[in-house]
Amino acid sequence: MTSSGGADGSSTDERFSRRSFLAAGGVAAATTVAGCGGGEEIDENGEGGDGDVDGTYLRMAVDSISSMDPVIIQLDSVGEYNIYERLTTHTDGRLPAEGQLAEDWTTEEDGAVYEFELKEGVQFHDGSELTADDFVYSWRRMAESPDTRNADDLFDTFEIAHERDDEGELVPDSLAVEAVDDHTLRVELARPFYMTLDQLANISFAATPEGVVGDIEGYDGEMDQSEFGTENPIGTGPFQFEDWQEGSHLSIERFDDYHGEVAEIDGVHWSIMDDSNARLNRALNRNLDVFTMEPSQFDPDLLEIEDTDEEGREIGTYGPLDNEETVQYQSSEVLISHYIVFNTANVDELAARRAIAHVIDQHRLAENEFNEMYDPAYHIVTPSTFPGGEDRYHEMAENEYPYGYAESQIEEAASIMEEAGYGEDDRYEMTLTVMPDSIWQDFGELLASQARAAHIEIDVEEAPFATIIDRAIEGTMDAFTLWDRMDYPGPDIFHRFLHPTPDAPQFTRISQGVDAEYADEAEDAWEQYLENRGETDEEEEARNEAFERIEAANLEMVAQLPLLHERVHRFIYDWVDISMHGVMEYQQYNTVSIDDQP
C-alpha cells in the first residue's frame, strides 16, 4: 500500500497496525468516524474547503480524519499530538522517548513497577488542572469503554497488570494504575518490558479530564463519546480544538495557557482532500504551506540534497515547481515496512517462495516504480530499529541476504524451480493480490513477467485495503502486498508474526506449509525474546540475538518477503520555518514560525 506523508498532517493513507486491526474486529475498524457538519467541497484544483480561518495558521492537507478520541484514534496523527499529551513523548518524533507530562520517574522490581512524578500546574483546555486521577480515568477508558479500539495497547506485548473474571473479561477498575497523590502515578506491569517509556508515548495513553465522558463504570460524564470525539476533544497540548467540518477541514488554535512553549502561530489548518492531484494543485496555488507528493508526482531530478544528519534525515531544496517556486525539502525514514505476505498454507512450495525472492530486485523497485522516494528493504524491521543498529542492518543485508542484494537472479530462480520438478510445461500457479494503485499494479505485472521465466505463473488481482485484510483473516489469498508500521520502535512489533501460530487467524501469521527446521528456529527465537523483555544489558543482548534469528528464519522460509522501507518527504514554502520530524512521524507545532504568508 503506497502512501506519502504521515503524522505531520500532510497526505497520509489509513494505516492500521495489525494487532490494532484484529483487536478492533477486522474491516469494521476501517470505518472513519464522521466529523461534525456537512463540510465545504474541494474541487479538483484544490479550491474551496478553507473554512473560516483568521490569522497566521500553518496550512496542510490530509486525506481523511477519524475520531479525535484517544481511545479510538488508530490512523496517523492529524491534530491529536498537538491537542493531547502523554507521560512521555518522542520529541518531534525522534528517539529516544523523553518525559512530557512526567517530570521524572523511578522503577522498582526490575522495571515491573514505574512511579511517575507529574508536572504541576498543567492545565487542560477546559481550565481544569491535570492530576494523576486523570491518567487513571483515561487509561480505564482505553481498557473498558465500549467504543475503545486501543485496549490491546494495554494488554498485548506491553501489559499492565489487571484482573479477569471466569469468562476472561476484564474486571472493571482492576488496572494496576494508581494515583498515589495528585501528582504521583504508580503503574504496575504484568512483567517488565524494555519499551515501556516508548509505548506510553502512544496517543492512546493521552491524558483527558477525569469523568469527561461517562462511558465507564463510576462516571456520569460531561458529554457523550460522540461529542467528545468530534466536537469537543480536551487535552493539555499547545493547541486546542477549534473546528472540524467533515470532508472540508480541521482547525486547531493556540492554547495560550499551555504549560510549555506557547505557540507563535495562531493555529494549524488541515484541508481534508482524498485526491492527491487536488492536494498538489492546492499546494501549487500556494494555499498549503507544507505538502507531500505521490511518487508519480515526484521528479528526482529537481531535488538537491544539502545535508544528511546522523538520523538519516535529509535537508535540501526541490524545484522549480510548476508555479516556478523552489521549496524547502525535508525527508525522514519512518517505521513502516512494505512486503509480500505469503499464505504459507496455500503457497506451500518453498521453492516457489524462494524463487520469487530471487526474482525481485528491491533496489530497482525503490528507484524505478517508487521514483527513489522509498528505501529498498532486505529485512522486515526498519534500519533505525534493527537489533544492533543501522550499520548492522546494512551489514547483514549486503553480506547475508540469500536472494541477491540489489539484483534480480532470474536464472537462479529458474534453477530452484527446476530442481523442485517444475518447468516450461509445468509451471507453479498462484495469485498475488495488490492494492488498486498504479504503482503496485505495475510491480505485480513486472513480477509476474519475470517469474514466468522461472516457471511460475502469477495471476495478479486487485483488491481494496479493507478487502485484503478481510480475506487475509479468512486465509483465502495465496499472497498479497501489505505494509505495517511500528507502534513503538521495537522489532517485536513485526516479529510477533514471524513464528508459526496455526491456531490464530491467518492474517499475516505463519500457519502451515513451512519447513519444520525453520519454523522451529523462529518459534524458539521468539521464546528467547519472551524470556528477555526486561531492561538489563544481558536481556538486551539475548533479545537482539533472538531478533536476528527470527529475521534469518523468515528469510529462509520466506513467509514475509521485504520490499521497501517508507520515507516521508515534505515540501515547504520558504515563508515557513519548521523542523523535520523523526522516525515516529508526529510532532507538535508550537515551535513553528511563519513569515509573510500569502
Side-chain angles (χ1 to χ4, degrees):
M1 178 178 183
T2 63
S3 57
S4 65
D8 58 0
S10 33
S11 166
T12 177
D13 288 309
E14 295 182 358
R15 295 177 181 151
F16 301 88
S17 74
R18 290 178 284 200
R19 63 196 180 98
S20 295
F21 199 99
L22 289 174
V27 294
T31 304
T32 56
V33 177
C36 52
E40 180 182 354
E41 294 297 324
I42 300 175
D43 65 26
E44 62 183 8
N45 295 316
E47 298 298 334
D50 287 330
D52 185 13
V53 175
D54 295 319
T56 302
Y57 278 65
L58 178 65
R59 301 169 302 174
M60 295 183 288
V62 65
D63 59 5
S64 64
I65 297 175
S66 184
S67 172
M68 304 292 284
D69 186 342
V71 309
I72 292 178
I73 297 166
Q74 289 188 327
L75 309 186
D76 280 345
S77 168
V78 179
E80 296 92 334
Y81 282 94
N82 286 272
I83 293 175
Y84 299 110
E85 295 180 309
R86 293 86 59 219
L87 291 171
T88 59
T89 187
H90 299 100
T91 303
D92 276 343
R94 303 172 69 181
L95 304 177
E98 301 174 333
Q100 188 172 58
L101 293 177
E103 281 194 323
D104 199 4
W105 52 84
T106 58
T107 60
E108 304 171 18
E109 300 180 23
D110 297 324
V113 175
Y114 280 77
E115 194 161 280
F116 295 93
E117 179 183 335
L118 305 185
K119 293 182 70 172
E120 297 188 24
V122 174
Q123 285 192 31
F124 283 104
H125 301 149
D126 64 358
S128 60
E129 184 173 341
L130 172 78
T131 70
D133 286 321
D134 297 309
F135 276 104
V136 175
Y137 164 79
S138 300
W139 293 8
R140 277 194 60 193
R141 282 198 70 230
M142 181 172 27
E144 301 172 30
S145 169
D147 297 300
T148 185
R149 293 179 180 172
N150 295 325
D152 59 312
D153 286 338
L154 292 163
F155 304 130
D156 206 340
T157 302
F158 168 83
E159 183 180 2
I160 292 182
H162 60 282
E163 298 176 16
R164 300 276 174 175
D165 61 23
D166 293 340
E167 284 72 43
E169 298 297 323
L170 176 68
V171 174
D173 199 17
S174 69
L175 279 184
V177 181
E178 175 191 1
V180 177
D181 55 42
D182 281 352
H183 297 98
T184 307
L185 183 73
R186 185 177 177 85
V187 180
E188 179 183 347
L189 306 184
R191 62 188 64 83
F193 181 55
Y194 74 114
M195 282 274 159
T196 293
L197 297 178
D198 295 271
Q199 173 71 331
L200 294 180
N202 190 298
I203 191 63
S204 57
F205 288 89
T208 57
E210 182 183 15
V212 67
V213 179
D215 56 356
I216 61 173
E217 185 178 298
Y219 297 95
D220 295 330
E222 300 171 16
M223 64 188 80
D224 63 26
Q225 187 280 324
S226 178
E227 180 183 352
F228 179 73
T230 62
E231 300 177 35
N232 195 20
I234 301 170
T236 63
F239 295 88
Q240 59 189 347
F241 179 83
E242 182 177 11
D243 179 45
W244 175 12
Q245 296 293 319
E246 182 185 3
S248 173
H249 63 270
L250 168 71
S251 294
I252 57 177
E253 61 184 351
R254 179 177 58 236
F255 180 47
D256 289 328
D257 293 322
Y258 181 55
H259 61 91
E261 182 178 349
V262 176
E264 177 180 324
I265 59 176
D266 295 314
V268 186
H269 181 83
W270 289 270
S271 298
I272 303 173
M273 312 172 70
D274 61 4
D275 184 287
S276 62
N277 290 323
R279 288 194 297 266
L280 182 56
N281 286 334
R282 191 168 185 80
L284 294 175
N285 290 333
R286 298 175 178 82
N287 290 321
L288 298 179
D289 303 308
V290 179
F291 58 98
T292 63
M293 294 182 191
E294 298 291 334
S296 60
Q297 299 167 329
F298 178 71
D299 183 352
D301 291 337
L302 300 181
L303 177 63
E304 182 176 343
I305 301 298
E306 298 172 352
D307 186 38
T308 301
D309 68 14
E310 60 185 12
E311 298 172 41
R313 299 185 300 174
E314 298 175 338
I315 307 297
T317 59
Y318 182 87
L321 302 170
D322 288 348
N323 63 4
E324 303 304 323
E325 292 270 11
T326 294
V327 294
Q328 303 172 65
Y329 167 84
Q330 300 175 344
S331 175
S332 174
E333 171 200 349
V334 293
L335 305 187
I336 296 173
S337 293
H338 296 250
Y339 43 85
I340 293 176
V341 179
F342 288 98
N343 181 346
T344 53
N346 289 1
V347 187
D348 58 357
E349 178 60 77
L350 177 60
R353 302 198 301 268
R354 287 180 170 175
I356 290 171
H358 276 292
V359 164
I360 293 174
D361 178 352
Q362 287 91 333
H363 272 72
R364 182 193 183 284
L365 176 63
E367 292 170 6
N368 292 359
E369 277 74 20
F370 282 82
N371 231 353
E372 302 181 14
M373 294 191 84
Y374 290 2
D375 294 331
Y378 293 91
H379 298 288
I380 294 298
V381 171
T382 61
S384 62
T385 57
F386 196 76
E390 186 171 348
D391 289 343
R392 179 60 175 161
Y393 176 102
H394 293 297
E395 176 188 354
M396 290 184 64
E398 294 177 26
N399 299 322
E400 300 180 29
Y401 185 72
Y403 305 112
Y405 181 82
E407 64 175 327
S408 177
Q409 298 180 334
I410 295 178
E411 291 184 4
E412 180 70 19
S415 176
I416 288 174
M417 293 302 292
E418 289 163 6
E419 290 178 11
Y422 298 92
E424 190 80 20
D425 299 322
D426 184 18
R427 300 178 185 275
Y428 185 86
E429 297 182 357
M430 59 170 289
T431 299
L432 174 68
T433 307
V434 299
M435 288 284 293
D437 180 277
S438 60
I439 291 178
W440 287 111
Q441 293 170 20
D442 292 345
F443 163 74
E445 294 303 328
L446 174 63
L447 177 59
S449 174
Q450 293 176 317
R452 198 168 293 117
H455 315 309
I456 300 175
E457 193 71 36
I458 299 179
D459 179 29
V460 180
E461 66 174 13
E462 303 169 13
F465 176 71
T467 301
I468 288 178
I469 298 300
D470 195 23
R471 293 182 57 197
I473 294 172
E474 295 170 355
T476 58
M477 290 181 291
D478 294 339
F480 53 98
T481 57
L482 196 69
W483 54 261
D484 197 12
R485 69 177 302 159
M486 293 179 167
D487 295 339
Y488 53 81
D492 52 291
I493 283 286
F494 289 166
H495 286 170
R496 69 179 62 220
F497 301 105
L498 293 179
H499 59 94
T501 51
D503 297 328
Q506 202 285 317
F507 198 42
T508 56
R509 297 176 183 267
I510 300 167
S511 50
Q512 304 171 27
V514 293
D515 189 292
E517 175 187 354
Y518 307 122
D520 290 346
E521 167 68 5
E523 191 165 11
D524 184 69
W526 181 250
E527 289 299 322
Q528 178 176 326
Y529 156 70
L530 292 178
E531 294 168 2
N532 293 277
R533 292 194 287 186
E535 300 175 346
T536 67
D537 292 341
E538 292 78 11
E539 287 173 299
E540 180 181 6
E541 183 177 348
R543 229 177 10 249
N544 286 348
E545 178 188 299
F547 291 147
E548 286 195 6
R549 290 174 61 196
I550 291 172
E551 289 278 351
N554 174 60
L555 290 179
E556 290 289 352
M557 58 189 170
V558 199
Q560 294 180 5
L561 180 58
L563 298 175
L564 299 163
H565 297 307
E566 192 163 328
R567 295 187 69 87
V568 166
H569 305 258
R570 295 203 304 200
F571 306 87
I572 305 148
Y573 280 107
D574 282 343
W575 55 78
V576 181
D577 184 1
I578 184 173
S579 62
M580 184 59 186
H581 61 67
V583 296
M584 297 304 295
E585 297 188 67
Y586 61 79
Q587 66 185 134
Q588 293 182 322
Y589 299 123
N590 51 317
T591 59
V592 172
S593 61
I594 298 175
D595 184 38
D596 295 331
Q597 184 183 57

